[in-house]
């Protein structure tokens, strides 16, 4: 291995560390001795009692005569390991880090995500490790000056979070990533040359601590859930992939998403499986990317989903401005979509819980109305897909969206498969249900339909015909809501005797969605249709006061 250069600044206090013992044959033997001792001491330190064959914990007698068990000692304190006589040796720390896959995974994820807490690091970098093991490893890396950590009260939500640390790369950790992973020129020794890696100031979060924490909380859960399914996708903040305005050379668009997800692709999946994610071109500063990196981005990286975080502090004007900027970016980046989530603040043992409806429904409705008002045309004609809801809702819909390559209708039967359920409905002389989608496409209406429904059913009841416009929906998906509102407006203008019906996959998604109360929509639980084998089971939402709280209840209605 090439010579390791010492990069720790000279202003740190050497009295914090116990100087290392002298080794005649250099740091390689130190490294071997260290590994030998580490292998022998796994978990609590054990000593074998040869007389009775029992295992005893090593105990330390303090100056006051009290006995402290070694299991209560911290592994690393001020750069010195409690299991070694040696103190902080930079060469040894670097060699240990680059030969430890867990440490390297943590350094790489912090180079990408900039700052994470222990739980987020555990989901992204070390999902196979127990939380306590992750915490011990982070404490060790902090003592070895690979990481820095901060106590961020503004970014804390769950009980006990006021004591939680948020970790970021220290200079030594960045040096390992830049030199041994990126094989880049260490910019701190060559400040006049174009930087080949991001600097510590580029990785700093600044004043957006709470916003960054919530965004990474969402992203770490999304990454963990999809990684468990074998789905890997590139992602970064907007600075590493500034969307260029193709109409003006060198101009960057005003739209800056909180996080940016690219479509899963074989190139990046291979990098993840082979632990070579640092070869991702997004890790190289924009101004230093060569033609090869730009070609890889152009060929393999397609923008897929912008993540937007709402701390519930933004007013309607700020949300409107965000929608306008997103629409502007679609003019030159047409394949992008948006996931807009509002923070929950409801946890139980690090498990994200759905927020109670009475805490979220008013803001959720108002935000959804703003999105639909400013993006109506793009939503009803599927020029882009928008997902919105609280963290649980948006996490579920985003996971489904990425897993199915943006096809939110995946799992629903279409055309003749859908007609099978309609045709199975019992017919009488008074009432008849007919699958009408193909026929409606051939009819010329005046004024014309504003949007073609997903499916159409014609109901004849005592000689009176009524058209039911069916829109297939998913939890958190805004597009079918926008289409249903547009269709209801057309019906209210007296153009047709019709009903608008929204279909949800199951009762859980139907209950979890925040519904509008004004439009007279009808709802169908598709799970009930599949269970009975026939079309029907219409419902309407009714809000009743239960213990002085408006609670959503469902009433069955006739077709």
């Amino acid at each position: 291995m090439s010579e390791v250069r010492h990069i720790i600044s000279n202003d740190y206090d050497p009295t914090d560390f116990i100087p290392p013992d002298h080794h005649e044959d250099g740091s390689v033997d130190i490294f071997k001795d260290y590994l030998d001792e580490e292998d022998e001491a796994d978990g609590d330190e054990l000593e074998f009692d040869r007389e009775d064959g029992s295992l005893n914990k090593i105990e330390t007698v303090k100056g006051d005569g009290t006995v402290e068990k070694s299991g209560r000692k911290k592994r690393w304190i001020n750069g010195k390991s409690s299991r070694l006589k040696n103190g902080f040796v930079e060469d040894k720390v670097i060699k240990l880090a680059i030969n430890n896959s867990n440490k390297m995974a943590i350094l790489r994820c912090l180079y990408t995500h900039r700052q994470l807490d222990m739980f987020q690091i555990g989901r992204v970098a070390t999902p196979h490790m127990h939380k306590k093991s992750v915490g011990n490893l982070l404490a060790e890396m902090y003592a070895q000056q690979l990481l820095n950590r901060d106590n961020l009260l503004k970014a804390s939500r769950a009980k006990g979070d006021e004591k939680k640390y948020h970790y970021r790369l220290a200079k030594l950790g960045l040096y390992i990533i830049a030199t041994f992973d990126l094989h880049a020129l260490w910019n701190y020794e060559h400040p006049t040359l174009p930087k080949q890696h991001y600097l510590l100031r580029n990785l700093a979060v600044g004043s957006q601590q709470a916003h960054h924490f919530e965004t990474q909380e969402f992203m770490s859960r999304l990454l963990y859930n999809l990684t468990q399914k074998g789905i890997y996708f590139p992602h970064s903040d907007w600075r590493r992939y500034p969307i260029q305005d193709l109409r003006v050379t060198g101009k960057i668009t005003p739209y800056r998403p909180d996080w940016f997800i690219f479509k899963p692709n074989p190139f990046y999946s291979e990098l993840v499986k082979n632990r070579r994610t640092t070869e991702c071109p997004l890790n190289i500063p924009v101004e230093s990317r060569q033609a090869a990196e730009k070609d890889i981005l152009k060929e393999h990286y397609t923008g897929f989903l912008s993540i937007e975080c709402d701390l519930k502090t933004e007013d309607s004007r700020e949300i409107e401005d965000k929608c306008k900027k997103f629409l502007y970016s679609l003019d030159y980046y047409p394949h992008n979509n948006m996931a807009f989530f509002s923070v929950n603040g409801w946890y139980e043992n690090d498990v994200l819980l759905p927020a109670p409806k009475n805490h979220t429904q008013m803001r959720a409705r108002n935000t959804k109305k703003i999105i639909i008002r400013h993006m109506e045309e793009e939503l009803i004609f599927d020029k882009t897909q928008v997902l919105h809801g609280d963290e649980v809702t948006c996490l579920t819909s985003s996971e489904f969206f990425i897993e199915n390559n943006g096809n939110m209708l995946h799992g629903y039967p279409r055309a003749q498969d859908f007609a099978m359920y309609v045709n199975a409905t019992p017919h009488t002389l008074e009432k008849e249900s007919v699958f009408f989608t193909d026929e409606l496409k051939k009819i010329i209406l005046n004024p014309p339909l504003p949007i073609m429904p997903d499916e159409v059913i014609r109901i004849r009841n005592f000689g009176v015909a009524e058209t039911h416009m069916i829109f297939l929906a998913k939890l958190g998906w805004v597009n079918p809501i926008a289409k249903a509102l547009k269709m209801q407006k057309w019906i209210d203008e007296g153009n047709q005797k019709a009903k608008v019906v929204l279909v949800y996959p199951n009762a859980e998604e139907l209950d979890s969605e925040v519904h509008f109360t004004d439009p007279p929509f009808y709802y169908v639980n598709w799970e009930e249709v599949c269970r009975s084998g026939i079309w029907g089971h219409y419902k309407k939402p009714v809000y009743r006061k239960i213990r002085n709280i408006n609670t959503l209840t469902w009433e069955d209605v006739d077709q």
Side-chain angles (χ1 to χ4, degrees):
M1 189 176 76
S2 60
E3 180 184 358
V4 176
R5 289 173 285 181
H6 296 254
I7 62 166
I8 298 299
S9 57
N10 295 325
D11 58 351
Y12 77 92
D13 186 4
T15 60
D16 288 344
F17 306 100
I18 298 178
D21 294 340
H22 179 69
H23 289 255
E24 296 181 356
D25 51 354
S27 59
V28 175
D29 286 339
I30 297 176
F31 173 54
K32 293 179 179 178
D33 295 340
Y34 185 87
L35 286 181
D36 291 339
E37 295 188 41
E38 286 292 287
D39 290 338
E40 293 172 3
D42 185 23
D44 291 328
E45 296 181 24
L46 302 176
E47 186 179 55
F48 186 77
D49 189 343
R50 296 180 183 275
E51 294 181 2
D52 58 3
S54 61
L55 289 172
N56 298 323
K57 290 188 176 180
I58 298 176
E59 297 180 343
T60 303
V61 180
K62 296 183 179 180
D64 57 0
T66 60
V67 178
E68 179 186 17
K69 295 184 178 181
S70 63
R72 296 177 181 173
K73 290 183 180 179
K74 289 188 176 180
R75 172 100 177 256
W76 282 81
I77 303 177
N78 293 332
K80 181 185 176 184
S81 170
S82 61
R83 298 177 181 175
L84 294 175
K85 302 294 184 182
N86 303 325
F88 180 90
V89 179
E90 188 179 307
D91 289 11
K92 177 173 63 180
V93 169
I94 294 175
K95 291 174 182 177
L96 286 172
I98 63 178
N99 284 280
N100 187 313
S101 61
N102 293 327
K103 287 184 178 180
M104 291 304 296
I106 291 173
L107 295 178
R108 289 172 186 140
C109 89
L110 289 176
Y111 184 76
T112 299
H113 295 265
R114 297 157 62 195
Q115 183 170 278
L116 300 173
D117 67 17
M118 182 192 76
F119 298 103
Q120 295 165 353
I121 290 173
R123 298 184 202 113
V124 176
T126 56
H128 58 283
M129 293 180 64
H130 191 274
K131 292 177 184 178
K132 288 187 178 180
S133 300
V134 176
N136 291 336
L137 185 58
L138 290 172
E140 176 182 325
M141 295 176 72
Y142 169 71
Q144 294 172 337
Q145 298 187 0
L146 295 171
L147 305 177
N148 288 328
R149 68 186 186 189
D150 303 291
N151 205 271
L152 308 177
L153 296 179
K154 291 184 178 180
S156 303
R157 300 186 304 177
K159 182 180 179 181
D161 274 3
E162 65 273 8
K163 298 181 180 180
K164 184 168 61 176
Y165 288 112
H166 297 252
Y167 295 86
R168 51 190 169 83
L169 285 180
K171 199 170 186 180
L172 181 58
L174 178 60
Y175 173 77
I176 293 174
I177 290 294
T179 305
F180 296 97
D181 252 21
L182 296 176
H183 305 290
L185 193 65
W186 181 235
N187 187 262
Y188 288 93
E189 291 184 356
H190 305 277
T192 59
L193 298 178
K195 60 181 181 182
Q196 298 180 12
H197 60 86
Y198 291 104
L199 308 179
L200 290 178
R201 67 172 180 268
N202 304 130
L203 303 178
V205 175
S207 61
Q208 300 292 322
Q209 299 284 0
H211 195 273
H212 178 80
F213 170 77
E214 299 292 356
T215 303
Q216 297 309 315
E217 186 73 9
F218 180 88
M219 279 303 303
S220 63
R221 294 180 186 275
L222 182 62
L223 285 165
Y224 176 81
N225 293 344
L226 289 174
T227 298
Q228 300 303 306
K229 299 179 181 180
I231 300 173
Y232 312 100
F233 53 87
H235 56 92
S236 72
D237 61 6
W238 68 268
R239 296 174 183 82
R240 303 193 185 192
Y241 194 80
I243 303 176
Q244 303 292 330
D245 190 339
L246 301 179
R247 297 168 294 187
V248 182
T249 305
K251 180 182 177 182
I252 298 175
T253 72
Y255 177 61
R256 299 175 177 180
D258 296 330
W259 211 254
F260 200 56
I261 293 176
F262 298 84
K263 186 175 291 189
N265 60 79
F267 174 82
Y268 185 78
S269 297
E270 284 300 314
L271 293 183
V272 174
K273 292 175 183 177
N274 297 324
R275 298 183 180 180
R276 293 164 39 220
T277 51
T278 43
E279 296 180 20
C280 173
L282 296 171
N283 292 321
I284 302 171
V286 177
E287 61 271 23
S288 301
R289 289 173 188 166
Q290 303 299 317
E293 284 93 19
K294 294 178 180 179
D295 290 341
I296 291 174
L297 288 173
K298 186 176 181 180
E299 181 180 356
H300 299 287
Y301 287 60
T302 302
F304 197 39
L305 190 63
S306 295
I307 304 299
E308 297 290 352
C309 172
D310 175 23
L311 292 178
K312 298 182 181 178
T313 57
E314 296 179 335
D315 58 24
S316 59
R317 289 172 298 178
E318 292 175 306
I319 298 174
E320 289 173 1
D321 184 62
K322 185 170 292 188
C323 292
K324 291 176 182 177
K325 289 178 178 178
F326 177 77
L327 282 178
Y328 179 74
S329 69
L330 291 178
D331 291 341
Y332 44 85
Y333 207 79
H335 303 295
N336 196 16
N337 307 282
M338 181 169 66
F340 193 113
F341 74 93
S342 299
V343 297
N344 268 27
W346 298 87
Y347 288 88
E348 182 177 324
N349 296 328
D350 195 43
V351 176
L352 189 61
L353 302 177
K357 286 293 183 63
N358 56 317
H359 287 265
T360 61
Q361 58 186 0
M362 183 176 295
R363 183 176 180 86
R365 285 196 195 98
N366 292 337
T367 303
K368 194 175 293 185
K369 287 178 181 178
I370 293 172
I371 294 172
I372 293 174
R373 184 168 65 246
H374 286 84
M375 303 174 62
E376 183 182 53
E377 182 179 348
E378 286 73 18
L379 292 173
I380 65 176
F381 293 111
D382 290 328
K383 294 180 180 179
T384 185
Q385 307 292 327
V386 175
L387 313 174
H388 173 261
D390 61 22
E391 283 179 85
V392 173
T393 296
C394 213
L395 186 64
T396 303
S397 56
S398 299
E399 184 178 339
F400 185 89
F401 182 82
I402 296 173
E403 185 178 0
N404 294 286
N405 199 27
N407 180 18
M408 293 297 287
L409 294 177
H410 177 79
Y412 279 118
R414 303 303 306 276
Q416 294 305 315
D417 292 333
F418 182 89
M420 178 181 65
Y421 293 94
V422 179
N423 297 333
T425 306
H427 300 283
T428 64
L429 293 176
E430 295 82 13
K431 192 171 184 179
E432 181 184 18
S433 301
V434 180
F435 179 70
F436 201 67
T437 306
D438 297 333
E439 285 74 10
L440 185 61
K441 292 178 180 178
K442 301 173 185 177
I443 299 175
I444 300 176
L445 298 174
N446 187 21
L449 283 172
I451 182 70
M452 186 65 193
D454 295 321
E455 303 293 349
V456 183
I457 298 173
R458 190 77 165 168
I459 307 292
R460 294 186 181 91
N461 196 0
F462 291 98
V464 179
E466 186 178 58
T467 306
H468 291 192
M469 309 294 189
I470 312 298
F471 293 96
L472 306 176
K474 286 285 295 183
L475 176 64
W477 187 24
V478 181
N479 292 60
I481 309 298
K483 295 176 184 179
L485 288 170
K486 189 71 172 178
M487 182 63 73
Q488 188 63 51
K489 182 180 178 181
W490 182 82
I491 294 171
D492 292 341
E493 292 173 353
N495 296 307
Q496 184 72 252
K497 183 174 176 57
K499 289 179 180 177
V500 175
V501 182
L502 287 166
V503 180
Y504 280 83
N506 50 58
E508 182 181 358
E509 293 197 19
L510 187 60
D511 293 338
S512 300
E513 184 68 275
V514 177
H515 303 285
F516 291 136
T517 55
D518 299 334
F521 294 156
Y522 293 83
Y523 295 85
V524 169
N525 175 359
W526 185 252
E527 202 171 51
E528 288 184 3
V529 175
C530 295
R531 191 182 302 120
S532 64
I534 60 175
W535 174 256
H537 313 284
Y538 284 20
K539 302 176 185 296
K540 287 200 71 173
V542 177
Y543 286 88
R544 304 184 187 278
K545 277 201 170 184
I546 301 177
R547 297 179 181 177
N548 293 325
I549 298 176
N550 280 334
T551 305
L552 173 68
T553 59
W554 294 99
E555 287 188 353
D556 294 331
V557 295
D558 295 330
Q559 293 185 18

